């Protein structure tokens, strides 16, 4: 019904940059917020960044000043520009979207399948 497809992950050296993209498609009426979480091996999934309709953003302390989240509402797409990457940023990054599939139901959260980001030292 709704799909979130991520792209842009990969292997990069410490200090490098990557840009993640996530496109939402399907039966979408409107999107409240989109964001990124990540999960490193042996650790819990954690919030990385979130952007609410409009331009309100929030970031985890560990990525502030290095990562930038943005959104193209016309394309239902969210981006995560990651600069000054460090080995501790290595994780599977998951996109999520808080959206309406109907004007008669409450919003639901959908997740992408995840994309691997590996930062070598």
């Amino acid at each position: 019904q709704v799909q979130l497809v991520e792209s842009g992950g990969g292997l990069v050296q410490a200090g490098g940059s990557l840009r993640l993209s996530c496109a939402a498609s399907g039966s979408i009426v409107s999107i409240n917020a989109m964001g990124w979480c990540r999960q490193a091996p042996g650790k819990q999934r954690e919030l990385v960044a979130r952007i609410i309709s409009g331009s309100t953003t929030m970031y985890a302390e560990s990525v502030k000043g290095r990562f930038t989240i943005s959104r193209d509402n016309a394309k239902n797409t969210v981006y995560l520009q990651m600069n000054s990457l460090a080995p501790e940023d290595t994780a599977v990054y998951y996109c999520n979207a808080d959206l309406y599939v109907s004007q008669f139901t409450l919003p639901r959260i959908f997740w992408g399948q995840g994309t691997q980001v590996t930062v070598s030292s």
Side-chain angles (χ1 to χ4, degrees):
Q1 194 176 23
V2 173
Q3 281 191 320
L4 273 63
V5 179
E6 300 126 331
S7 61
L11 173 64
V12 65
Q13 288 189 332
S17 298
L18 282 174
R19 188 188 193 216
L20 305 182
S21 300
C22 172
S25 63
S27 303
I28 299 170
V29 172
S30 63
I31 300 177
N32 287 336
M34 300 185 79
W36 294 91
C37 294
R38 67 186 180 186
Q39 187 165 20
K43 295 188 176 181
Q44 289 189 332
R45 190 174 296 190
E46 63 174 356
L47 172 70
V48 175
R50 186 171 173 82
I51 182 165
I52 302 170
S53 57
S55 58
T56 302
T57 59
M58 58 182 297
Y59 296 93
E61 285 297 323
S62 59
V63 307
K64 279 183 180 178
R66 300 188 298 124
F67 291 11
T68 302
I69 190 170
S70 60
R71 180 173 160 181
D72 185 332
N73 293 325
K75 296 181 180 180
N76 288 339
T77 299
V78 64
Y79 306 95
L80 186 68
Q81 178 65 44
M82 305 185 293
N83 299 328
S84 302
L85 283 161
E88 51 265 35
D89 295 315
T90 295
V92 177
Y93 284 69
Y94 296 92
C95 167
N96 61 79
D98 181 8
L99 58 86
Y100 289 91
V101 297
S102 166
Q103 60 181 324
F104 304 111
T105 60
L106 295 173
R108 293 172 54 190
I109 297 177
F110 292 84
W111 291 86
Q113 79 285 355
T115 185
Q116 177 70 47
V117 171
T118 302
V119 185
S120 63
S121 57

